[in-house]
Coordinates of all heavy atoms in Angstrom, one line a residue:
M3 N 0.9 -1.2 0.0 CA 0.0 0.0 0.0 C 0.9 1.2 0.0 O 1.9 1.3 0.7 CB -0.9 0.0 1.2 CG -2.0 0.9 1.2 SD -3.2 0.9 -0.1 CE -3.9 -0.7 0.0
S4 N 0.5 2.2 -0.8 CA 1.4 3.4 -0.9 C 1.0 4.5 0.1 O -0.2 4.5 0.6 CB 1.3 4.0 -2.3 OG 0.0 4.4 -2.6
L5 N 1.9 5.3 0.5 CA 1.6 6.5 1.3 C 1.1 7.6 0.4 O 1.5 7.8 -0.7 CB 2.9 7.0 1.9 CG 3.5 6.2 3.1 CD1 4.8 6.8 3.5 CD2 2.6 6.1 4.2
Q6 N 0.2 8.4 1.0 CA -0.4 9.5 0.2 C -0.5 10.7 1.2 O -0.5 10.6 2.4 CB -1.8 9.2 -0.3 CG -1.8 8.1 -1.4 CD -3.1 7.9 -2.0 OE1 -4.1 7.7 -1.3 NE2 -3.2 8.1 -3.3
V7 N -0.4 11.9 0.5 CA -0.6 13.2 1.2 C -1.5 14.0 0.4 O -1.8 13.7 -0.8 CB 0.8 13.9 1.4 CG1 1.7 13.1 2.2 CG2 1.4 14.4 0.1
V8 N -2.1 15.1 1.0 CA -3.0 16.0 0.3 C -2.2 17.2 -0.1 O -1.5 17.8 0.8 CB -4.2 16.4 1.1 CG1 -5.0 17.5 0.4 CG2 -5.1 15.2 1.4
T9 N -2.3 17.6 -1.3 CA -1.7 18.9 -1.8 C -2.8 19.8 -2.4 O -3.8 19.3 -2.7 CB -0.6 18.6 -2.8 OG1 0.1 19.8 -3.2 CG2 -1.1 18.0 -4.1
A10 N -2.5 21.0 -2.4 CA -3.4 22.0 -3.0 C -2.6 23.3 -3.3 O -1.4 23.3 -3.1 CB -4.5 22.3 -1.9
N11 N -3.3 24.3 -3.7 CA -2.7 25.6 -3.9 C -3.3 26.6 -2.9 O -4.5 26.6 -2.8 CB -2.8 26.1 -5.3 CG -2.0 25.3 -6.3 OD1 -2.4 24.3 -6.8 ND2 -0.8 25.8 -6.5
R12 N -2.4 27.4 -2.3 CA -2.9 28.4 -1.4 C -3.5 29.6 -2.2 O -2.9 30.0 -3.2 CB -1.8 28.9 -0.5 CG -2.2 29.7 0.6 CD -1.1 29.9 1.7 NE 0.2 30.2 1.0 CZ 1.4 29.9 1.6 NH1 1.4 29.3 2.7 NH2 2.5 30.3 1.0
L13 N -4.7 30.1 -1.9 CA -5.3 31.1 -2.6 C -4.7 32.5 -2.6 O -4.6 33.1 -3.7 CB -6.8 31.3 -2.2 CG -7.8 30.2 -2.7 CD1 -9.1 30.5 -2.1 CD2 -7.9 30.3 -4.2
D14 N -4.1 32.9 -1.5 CA -3.5 34.2 -1.5 C -2.3 34.4 -2.3 O -2.0 35.6 -2.8 CB -3.3 34.7 -0.1 CG -2.3 34.0 0.7 OD1 -1.8 33.0 0.2 OD2 -2.0 34.4 1.8
D15 N -1.5 33.4 -2.6 CA -0.3 33.6 -3.4 C -0.1 32.5 -4.4 O 0.9 32.5 -5.2 CB 1.0 33.7 -2.5 CG 1.1 32.5 -1.6 OD1 0.5 31.4 -1.7 OD2 2.0 32.6 -0.6
G16 N -0.9 31.4 -4.4 CA -0.9 30.4 -5.5 C 0.2 29.3 -5.2 O 0.3 28.4 -6.0
L17 N 0.9 29.4 -4.1 CA 1.9 28.4 -3.8 C 1.3 27.0 -3.5 O 0.2 26.9 -3.0 CB 2.8 28.8 -2.6 CG 3.7 30.1 -2.9 CD1 4.4 30.4 -1.6 CD2 4.6 29.8 -4.0
V18 N 2.1 26.0 -3.8 CA 1.8 24.6 -3.5 C 1.9 24.4 -2.0 O 2.9 24.8 -1.4 CB 2.7 23.7 -4.2 CG1 2.4 22.2 -3.8 CG2 2.6 23.8 -5.7
V19 N 0.9 23.8 -1.4 CA 0.9 23.5 0.0 C 0.4 22.1 0.3 O -0.2 21.5 -0.5 CB 0.0 24.5 0.8 CG1 0.6 25.9 0.8 CG2 -1.4 24.6 0.3
F20 N 0.8 21.6 1.5 CA 0.5 20.3 1.9 C -0.2 20.3 3.3 O 0.1 21.0 4.2 CB 1.8 19.4 2.0 CG 2.5 19.4 0.7 CD1 3.5 20.4 0.4 CD2 2.2 18.5 -0.3 CE1 4.1 20.4 -0.8 CE2 2.9 18.4 -1.5 CZ 3.8 19.4 -1.7
L21 N -1.3 19.4 3.4 CA -2.0 19.3 4.7 C -1.1 18.7 5.8 O -0.5 17.7 5.6 CB -3.2 18.5 4.5 CG -4.2 18.3 5.7 CD1 -4.8 19.7 6.1 CD2 -5.3 17.3 5.4
T22 N -1.0 19.4 6.9 CA -0.2 19.0 8.0 C -1.0 18.2 9.1 O -2.2 18.2 9.1 CB 0.5 20.2 8.7 OG1 -0.5 21.0 9.2 CG2 1.3 21.0 7.6
A23 N -0.2 17.7 10.0 CA -0.8 16.9 11.1 C -1.8 17.7 12.0 O -2.8 17.2 12.5 CB 0.2 16.3 12.0
D24 N -1.6 19.0 12.1 CA -2.4 19.8 12.9 C -3.6 20.5 12.1 O -4.3 21.3 12.6 CB -1.6 20.9 13.6 CG -1.0 21.9 12.7 OD1 -1.2 21.8 11.4 OD2 -0.3 22.9 13.2
G25 N -3.8 20.0 10.9 CA -4.8 20.5 10.0 C -4.5 21.8 9.3 O -5.4 22.4 8.7
G26 N -3.3 22.3 9.5 CA -2.9 23.5 8.7 C -2.3 23.2 7.4 O -2.4 22.0 6.9
W27 N -1.6 24.1 6.8 CA -1.0 24.0 5.5 C 0.4 24.4 5.5 O 0.7 25.5 6.0 CB -1.8 24.7 4.4 CG -3.2 24.2 4.3 CD1 -4.3 24.6 5.0 CD2 -3.6 23.1 3.5 NE1 -5.4 23.8 4.6 CE2 -5.0 22.9 3.7 CE3 -3.0 22.3 2.6 CZ2 -5.7 21.9 3.1 CZ3 -3.7 21.3 2.0 CH2 -5.1 21.1 2.2
S28 N 1.3 23.7 4.9 CA 2.7 24.0 4.9 C 3.2 23.9 3.4 O 2.8 23.1 2.6 CB 3.5 23.0 5.7 OG 4.9 23.2 5.6
E29 N 4.2 24.8 3.1 CA 4.9 24.7 1.8 C 5.9 23.6 1.7 O 6.3 23.3 0.6 CB 5.6 26.1 1.6 CG 4.7 27.3 1.5 CD 5.5 28.6 1.5 OE1 6.7 28.6 1.2 OE2 4.8 29.6 1.9
S30 N 6.2 22.9 2.8 CA 7.1 21.8 2.8 C 6.4 20.5 2.8 O 5.6 20.2 3.7 CB 8.1 21.9 4.0 OG 8.9 20.7 4.1
I31 N 6.7 19.6 1.8 CA 6.1 18.3 1.8 C 6.5 17.5 3.0 O 5.8 16.6 3.4 CB 6.5 17.6 0.5 CG1 5.6 16.3 0.3 CG2 8.0 17.3 0.4 CD1 5.7 15.7 -1.1
N32 N 7.6 17.8 3.6 CA 8.1 17.0 4.8 C 7.2 17.3 6.0 O 7.3 16.5 7.0 CB 9.6 17.2 5.1 CG 10.4 16.6 4.0 OD1 10.2 15.5 3.6 ND2 11.4 17.3 3.5
D33 N 6.4 18.3 6.0 CA 5.5 18.6 7.1 C 4.1 17.9 6.9 O 3.3 18.0 7.7 CB 5.3 20.1 7.2 CG 6.5 20.9 7.6 OD1 7.4 20.3 8.2 OD2 6.6 22.1 7.3
A34 N 4.0 17.3 5.7 CA 2.7 16.7 5.4 C 2.3 15.5 6.2 O 3.2 14.7 6.6 CB 2.7 16.3 3.9
R35 N 1.0 15.4 6.5 CA 0.5 14.2 7.2 C 0.3 13.2 6.1 O -0.3 13.4 5.1 CB -0.9 14.6 7.9 CG -1.4 13.4 8.6 CD -2.7 13.7 9.3 NE -3.2 15.0 9.2 CZ -4.5 15.4 9.4 NH1 -5.4 14.5 9.6 NH2 -4.8 16.7 9.3
T36 N 0.7 12.0 6.4 CA 0.6 10.9 5.5 C -0.6 10.0 5.8 O -1.0 9.9 7.0 CB 1.9 10.0 5.4 OG1 2.1 9.5 6.7 CG2 3.1 10.8 4.9
A37 N -1.1 9.3 4.8 CA -2.2 8.3 5.0 C -1.7 7.1 4.3 O -1.2 7.1 3.2 CB -3.5 8.9 4.4
E38 N -2.0 5.9 4.9 CA -1.7 4.7 4.3 C -3.0 3.9 4.2 O -3.7 3.7 5.2 CB -0.7 3.9 5.1 CG -0.2 2.7 4.3 CD 1.1 2.1 5.0 OE1 1.5 2.6 6.0 OE2 1.5 1.1 4.4
G39 N -3.4 3.5 2.9 CA -4.6 2.8 2.7 C -5.7 3.7 2.2 O -5.7 4.9 2.5
K40 N -6.7 3.1 1.5 CA -7.7 3.9 0.9 C -8.6 4.7 1.9 O -8.9 5.8 1.7 CB -8.6 3.0 0.0 CG -9.7 3.7 -0.7 CD -10.4 2.9 -1.7 CE -11.6 3.5 -2.4 NZ -11.6 5.0 -2.5
E41 N -9.0 4.0 3.0 CA -9.9 4.7 3.9 C -9.2 5.9 4.6 O -9.8 6.9 4.7 CB -10.3 3.7 5.0 CG -11.4 2.7 4.5 CD -11.8 1.7 5.6 OE1 -11.7 2.0 6.8 OE2 -12.4 0.7 5.2
A42 N -8.0 5.7 5.0 CA -7.2 6.8 5.6 C -7.0 7.9 4.6 O -7.2 9.1 5.0 CB -5.9 6.3 6.2
A43 N -6.7 7.6 3.4 CA -6.5 8.6 2.4 C -7.8 9.4 2.0 O -7.8 10.6 1.9 CB -5.9 8.0 1.1
D44 N -8.9 8.7 2.0 CA -10.2 9.3 1.7 C -10.6 10.2 2.9 O -11.1 11.3 2.6 CB -11.3 8.2 1.5 CG -11.2 7.5 0.2 OD1 -10.4 8.0 -0.7 OD2 -11.8 6.5 0.0
A45 N -10.3 9.8 4.1 CA -10.6 10.7 5.2 C -9.7 11.9 5.2 O -10.2 13.0 5.5 CB -10.3 9.9 6.5
L46 N -8.5 11.8 4.8 CA -7.6 12.9 4.7 C -8.1 13.9 3.7 O -8.1 15.1 3.9 CB -6.2 12.4 4.4 CG -5.0 13.3 4.7 CD1 -4.9 13.7 6.1 CD2 -3.7 12.7 4.2
L47 N -8.5 13.4 2.5 CA -9.0 14.3 1.5 C -10.3 14.9 1.9 O -10.5 16.1 1.6 CB -9.2 13.5 0.2 CG -9.6 14.3 -1.0 CD1 -8.6 15.4 -1.3 CD2 -9.7 13.4 -2.2
A48 N -11.1 14.2 2.6 CA -12.4 14.8 3.0 C -12.1 16.0 4.0 O -12.8 17.0 3.9 CB -13.3 13.7 3.7
E49 N -11.2 15.8 4.9 CA -10.8 16.9 5.8 C -10.3 18.1 5.0 O -10.7 19.3 5.3 CB -9.7 16.4 6.7 CG -9.3 17.5 7.7 CD -8.1 17.1 8.6 OE1 -8.0 15.9 8.8 OE2 -7.4 18.0 9.1
A50 N -9.5 17.9 4.0 CA -8.9 19.0 3.2 C -10.0 19.6 2.3 O -9.8 20.8 1.8 CB -7.8 18.5 2.3
S51 N -11.1 18.9 2.0 CA -12.1 19.4 1.1 C -13.3 20.1 1.9 O -14.3 20.4 1.3 CB -12.6 18.3 0.3 OG -11.6 17.7 -0.5
A52 N -13.1 20.4 3.2 CA -14.2 21.0 3.9 C -14.5 22.4 3.3 O -13.6 23.1 2.9 CB -13.7 21.1 5.4
P53 N -15.8 22.7 3.2 CA -16.2 23.9 2.6 C -15.6 25.2 3.2 O -15.3 26.2 2.5 CB -17.7 24.0 2.8 CG -18.1 22.5 3.0 CD -16.9 21.9 3.7
E54 N -15.3 25.2 4.5 CA -14.7 26.4 5.1 C -13.2 26.7 4.6 O -12.7 27.7 4.8 CB -14.7 26.3 6.6 CG -14.0 25.1 7.2 CD -14.9 23.9 7.4 OE1 -16.0 23.8 6.9 OE2 -14.5 23.0 8.2
L55 N -12.6 25.7 4.0 CA -11.3 25.9 3.5 C -11.3 26.5 2.1 O -10.2 26.8 1.6 CB -10.5 24.5 3.5 CG -10.2 23.9 4.8 CD1 -9.5 22.6 4.7 CD2 -9.3 24.9 5.6
D56 N -12.4 26.7 1.5 CA -12.5 27.3 0.2 C -11.9 28.7 0.1 O -11.6 29.2 -1.0 CB -13.9 27.3 -0.3 CG -14.4 25.9 -0.7 OD1 -13.6 25.0 -0.8 OD2 -15.7 25.8 -0.9
V57 N -11.8 29.4 1.3 CA -11.2 30.7 1.3 C -9.7 30.7 1.6 O -9.0 31.7 1.6 CB -11.9 31.6 2.3 CG1 -13.3 31.8 1.9 CG2 -11.8 31.1 3.7
V58 N -9.1 29.4 1.8 CA -7.7 29.3 2.1 C -6.9 28.6 1.0 O -5.9 29.1 0.6 CB -7.5 28.5 3.4 CG1 -6.1 28.3 3.8 CG2 -8.3 29.2 4.6
I59 N -7.5 27.5 0.5 CA -6.8 26.7 -0.5 C -7.8 26.4 -1.6 O -9.0 26.5 -1.5 CB -6.3 25.4 0.0 CG1 -7.3 24.6 0.8 CG2 -5.1 25.7 1.0 CD1 -7.8 23.4 0.0
V60 N -7.3 25.9 -2.8 CA -8.1 25.5 -3.9 C -7.5 24.2 -4.5 O -6.3 24.0 -4.5 CB -8.1 26.6 -5.0 CG1 -6.8 26.8 -5.6 CG2 -9.2 26.3 -6.1
G61 N -8.4 23.3 -4.9 CA -8.1 22.1 -5.6 C -7.3 21.0 -4.8 O -6.3 20.5 -5.3
P62 N -7.7 20.7 -3.6 CA -7.0 19.7 -2.9 C -7.1 18.3 -3.6 O -8.2 18.0 -4.1 CB -7.6 19.7 -1.5 CG -9.0 20.2 -1.7 CD -8.9 21.2 -2.9
Y63 N -6.0 17.5 -3.6 CA -6.1 16.2 -4.1 C -5.0 15.4 -3.5 O -4.0 15.9 -2.9 CB -6.0 16.2 -5.6 CG -4.8 16.7 -6.3 CD1 -3.7 15.9 -6.6 CD2 -4.6 18.1 -6.5 CE1 -2.6 16.4 -7.2 CE2 -3.5 18.6 -7.1 CZ -2.4 17.7 -7.4 OH -1.3 18.2 -8.0
L64 N -5.1 14.1 -3.6 CA -4.1 13.1 -3.0 C -3.0 12.9 -4.0 O -3.2 12.8 -5.2 CB -4.8 11.8 -2.7 CG -5.8 11.8 -1.6 CD1 -6.7 10.5 -1.7 CD2 -5.1 11.9 -0.3
I65 N -1.8 12.7 -3.5 CA -0.6 12.3 -4.3 C 0.1 11.2 -3.6 O 0.1 11.1 -2.4 CB 0.4 13.5 -4.6 CG1 1.0 14.0 -3.4 CG2 -0.3 14.6 -5.4 CD1 2.2 14.9 -3.6
D66 N 0.7 10.3 -4.4 CA 1.5 9.2 -3.8 C 2.9 9.8 -3.5 O 3.5 10.5 -4.2 CB 1.7 8.1 -4.8 CG 0.4 7.4 -5.1 OD1 -0.5 7.3 -4.2 OD2 0.2 6.9 -6.2
V67 N 3.4 9.3 -2.3 CA 4.8 9.7 -1.9 C 5.5 8.5 -1.4 O 4.9 7.5 -1.1 CB 4.7 10.8 -0.8 CG1 4.1 12.1 -1.3 CG2 4.0 10.3 0.4
E68 N 6.8 8.6 -1.3 CA 7.7 7.6 -0.7 C 8.6 8.2 0.3 O 8.9 9.4 0.2 CB 8.6 7.0 -1.8 CG 7.9 6.3 -2.9 CD 8.9 5.8 -4.0 OE1 10.0 6.4 -4.1 OE2 8.6 4.9 -4.7
Q69 N 9.0 7.5 1.3 CA 10.0 7.9 2.3 C 11.3 7.6 1.7 O 11.6 6.5 1.3 CB 9.8 7.1 3.6 CG 8.7 7.4 4.4 CD 8.9 8.6 5.3 OE1 10.0 9.2 5.3 NE2 7.9 9.0 6.1
Q70 N 12.2 8.7 1.6 CA 13.5 8.6 1.0 C 14.4 9.5 1.8 O 14.2 10.7 1.9 CB 13.6 9.0 -0.4 CG 13.0 8.0 -1.4 CD 13.2 8.4 -2.8 OE1 13.8 9.4 -3.1 NE2 12.6 7.6 -3.7
D71 N 15.5 8.9 2.3 CA 16.5 9.7 3.1 C 15.9 10.6 4.2 O 16.2 11.8 4.3 CB 17.3 10.6 2.1 CG 18.1 9.7 1.1 OD1 18.5 8.6 1.4 OD2 18.2 10.2 -0.1
G72 N 14.9 10.0 4.9 CA 14.3 10.7 6.0 C 13.3 11.8 5.6 O 12.9 12.6 6.5
G73 N 12.9 11.9 4.4 CA 11.9 12.8 3.9 C 10.9 12.2 3.0 O 11.0 11.0 2.6
L74 N 9.9 13.0 2.6 CA 8.9 12.5 1.7 C 9.2 13.0 0.3 O 9.6 14.2 0.1 CB 7.5 13.1 2.1 CG 7.0 12.5 3.4 CD1 5.7 13.3 3.8 CD2 6.7 11.0 3.4
V75 N 9.0 12.1 -0.7 CA 9.3 12.5 -2.1 C 8.1 12.0 -2.9 O 7.7 10.8 -2.8 CB 10.6 11.8 -2.6 CG1 10.8 12.1 -4.1 CG2 11.8 12.2 -1.7
P76 N 7.6 12.9 -3.8 CA 6.5 12.4 -4.7 C 6.9 11.4 -5.6 O 8.1 11.4 -6.0 CB 6.1 13.7 -5.4 CG 6.7 14.8 -4.6 CD 7.9 14.3 -3.9
T77 N 6.1 10.5 -6.0 CA 6.4 9.4 -6.9 C 6.2 9.8 -8.4 O 6.8 9.1 -9.3 CB 5.6 8.1 -6.7 OG1 4.2 8.4 -6.8 CG2 5.9 7.6 -5.3
K78 N 5.4 10.8 -8.7 CA 5.2 11.2 -10.0 C 6.0 12.5 -10.3 O 6.1 13.4 -9.5 CB 3.7 11.6 -10.2 CG 2.8 10.4 -9.9 CD 2.7 9.5 -11.1 CE 1.5 8.5 -11.0 NZ 1.9 7.2 -10.6
Y79 N 6.5 12.6 -11.6 CA 7.3 13.7 -12.0 C 6.6 15.0 -11.9 O 7.1 16.1 -11.4 CB 7.9 13.5 -13.4 CG 8.8 14.6 -13.8 CD1 10.1 14.7 -13.2 CD2 8.5 15.5 -14.8 CE1 10.9 15.7 -13.6 CE2 9.4 16.4 -15.2 CZ 10.6 16.5 -14.6 OH 11.5 17.5 -15.0
R80 N 5.3 15.0 -12.2 CA 4.5 16.3 -12.1 C 4.5 16.8 -10.7 O 4.7 18.0 -10.5 CB 3.1 16.0 -12.5 CG 2.1 17.2 -12.3 CD 0.7 16.8 -12.7 NE -0.2 17.9 -12.8 CZ -0.9 18.4 -11.7 NH1 -0.9 17.8 -10.6 NH2 -1.7 19.4 -11.9
E81 N 4.4 16.0 -9.7 CA 4.4 16.4 -8.3 C 5.8 16.8 -7.9 O 5.9 17.7 -7.0 CB 3.8 15.3 -7.4 CG 2.4 14.9 -7.8 CD 1.4 16.1 -8.0 OE1 1.6 17.1 -7.3 OE2 0.5 16.0 -8.8
V82 N 6.8 16.2 -8.4 CA 8.2 16.6 -8.1 C 8.4 18.1 -8.5 O 8.9 18.9 -7.8 CB 9.2 15.7 -8.7 CG1 10.6 16.3 -8.6 CG2 9.2 14.3 -8.1
L83 N 7.9 18.4 -9.7 CA 8.0 19.7 -10.2 C 7.2 20.7 -9.4 O 7.6 21.8 -9.1 CB 7.5 19.8 -11.7 CG 8.4 19.2 -12.7 CD1 7.7 19.4 -14.1 CD2 9.7 19.8 -12.7
R84 N 6.0 20.3 -8.9 CA 5.2 21.2 -8.1 C 5.9 21.5 -6.7 O 5.7 22.6 -6.2 CB 3.8 20.6 -7.8 CG 3.0 20.6 -9.0 CD 1.5 20.1 -8.8 NE 0.8 21.2 -8.1 CZ 0.2 21.1 -6.9 NH1 0.2 20.0 -6.3 NH2 -0.5 22.1 -6.4
T85 N 6.7 20.5 -6.2 CA 7.4 20.8 -4.9 C 8.6 21.6 -5.1 O 9.1 22.2 -4.1 CB 7.7 19.4 -4.2 OG1 8.6 18.7 -5.0 CG2 6.5 18.7 -3.9
K86 N 9.2 21.6 -6.3 CA 10.5 22.3 -6.5 C 10.4 23.5 -7.3 O 11.2 24.5 -7.1 CB 11.5 21.3 -7.2 CG 11.9 20.2 -6.3 CD 13.0 19.4 -7.1 CE 13.5 18.3 -6.1 NZ 14.5 17.5 -6.8
G87 N 9.5 23.6 -8.2 CA 9.4 24.8 -9.1 C 9.8 24.4 -10.5 O 10.0 23.3 -10.9
P88 N 9.9 25.4 -11.4 CA 10.2 25.2 -12.8 C 11.5 24.4 -13.0 O 12.5 24.6 -12.4 CB 10.4 26.6 -13.4 CG 9.7 27.5 -12.4 CD 9.8 26.8 -11.0
S89 N 11.4 23.5 -14.0 CA 12.5 22.6 -14.3 C 13.5 23.3 -15.2 O 14.7 22.8 -15.3 CB 12.1 21.3 -14.9 OG 11.4 21.5 -16.1
V90 N 13.1 24.3 -15.9 CA 14.0 25.0 -16.9 C 14.8 26.1 -16.3 O 15.7 26.6 -16.9 CB 13.3 25.4 -18.1 CG1 12.7 24.2 -18.9 CG2 12.2 26.4 -17.8
R91 N 14.4 26.6 -15.1 CA 15.0 27.7 -14.5 C 15.2 27.4 -13.0 O 14.4 27.6 -12.2 CB 14.1 29.0 -14.6 CG 13.9 29.5 -15.9 CD 15.0 30.5 -16.4 NE 15.3 31.6 -15.4 CZ 14.8 32.8 -15.4 NH1 13.9 33.1 -16.2 NH2 15.2 33.6 -14.5
E92 N 16.4 26.9 -12.7 CA 16.7 26.5 -11.3 C 16.9 27.7 -10.4 O 17.0 27.6 -9.2 CB 17.9 25.6 -11.2 CG 17.6 24.3 -11.9 CD 18.7 23.3 -11.8 OE1 19.7 23.6 -11.1 OE2 18.6 22.2 -12.3
D93 N 16.9 28.9 -11.0 CA 17.0 30.1 -10.1 C 15.6 30.6 -9.7 O 15.5 31.6 -9.0 CB 17.7 31.3 -10.9 CG 17.0 31.7 -12.2 OD1 16.5 30.8 -12.9 OD2 17.0 32.9 -12.5
L94 N 14.6 29.9 -10.1 CA 13.2 30.2 -9.7 C 12.6 29.1 -8.9 O 13.1 28.0 -8.9 CB 12.3 30.4 -10.9 CG 12.7 31.5 -11.9 CD1 11.8 31.5 -13.1 CD2 12.6 32.9 -11.2
G95 N 11.5 29.4 -8.2 CA 10.8 28.3 -7.4 C 11.5 28.0 -6.1 O 12.5 28.6 -5.7
Y96 N 11.1 26.9 -5.5 CA 11.6 26.5 -4.2 C 13.0 26.1 -4.3 O 13.7 26.2 -3.3 CB 10.7 25.3 -3.7 CG 9.3 25.6 -3.5 CD1 8.3 25.0 -4.3 CD2 8.9 26.6 -2.6 CE1 7.0 25.3 -4.1 CE2 7.6 26.9 -2.4 CZ 6.6 26.2 -3.1 OH 5.3 26.5 -2.9
Q97 N 13.5 25.5 -5.4 CA 14.9 25.1 -5.5 C 15.9 26.2 -5.5 O 17.1 26.1 -5.2 CB 15.2 24.2 -6.7 CG 15.3 24.9 -8.0 CD 14.0 24.9 -8.8 OE1 12.9 24.6 -8.2 NE2 14.0 25.3 -10.0
A98 N 15.4 27.5 -5.7 CA 16.3 28.6 -5.7 C 16.7 29.1 -4.3 O 17.7 29.8 -4.1 CB 15.7 29.8 -6.4
V99 N 16.0 28.6 -3.3 CA 16.2 29.1 -2.0 C 17.4 28.4 -1.4 O 17.8 27.4 -1.6 CB 15.0 28.8 -1.1 CG1 15.2 29.2 0.3 CG2 13.8 29.5 -1.7

């Protein structure tokens, strides 16, 4: 069974964020709360899709992640790009920091 986390975009600045253990949102995937199994993942997504969050984030969805070197890493290239920023300009996005 794969690990999953919820990702979305923050409305005020458009940045990619991840649902945390305390129900907040973080720009770091390593702060994300993980779910293992369909029921746990569905519950996590339901929490992130609560109507009151419509003024904070947009488009929450589940992504598959793996534990690597003590951190979380997305399994799909699209999500890797979302966590790092543009692949053609390493001076932009999260990787520039």
Side-chain angles (χ1 to χ4, degrees):
M3 193 56 63
S4 65
L5 287 177
Q6 292 186 305
V7 300
V8 172
T9 186
N11 288 87
R12 194 166 46 207
L13 279 176
D14 65 352
D15 58 11
L17 292 178
V18 174
V19 291
F20 302 90
L21 183 63
T22 63
D24 65 359
W27 295 92
S28 173
E29 296 171 20
S30 173
I31 192 170
N32 290 316
D33 295 336
R35 181 178 358 156
T36 59
E38 189 167 2
K40 181 170 176 28
E41 287 182 19
D44 288 346
L46 199 61
L47 184 58
E49 179 183 337
S51 301
E54 59 269 16
L55 292 176
D56 287 348
V57 297
V58 179
I59 55 104
V60 65
Y63 63 97
L64 293 164
I65 63 169
D66 293 331
V67 295
E68 296 176 337
Q69 287 276 2
Q70 287 184 4
D71 301 323
L74 295 173
V75 178
T77 61
K78 302 278 193 256
Y79 185 66
R80 174 183 190 267
E81 302 307 330
V82 171
L83 287 180
R84 289 186 78 236
T85 60
K86 291 184 177 181
S89 61
V90 295
R91 294 274 311 268
E92 292 184 4
D93 60 323
L94 299 174
Y96 298 114
Q97 76 263 13
V99 179

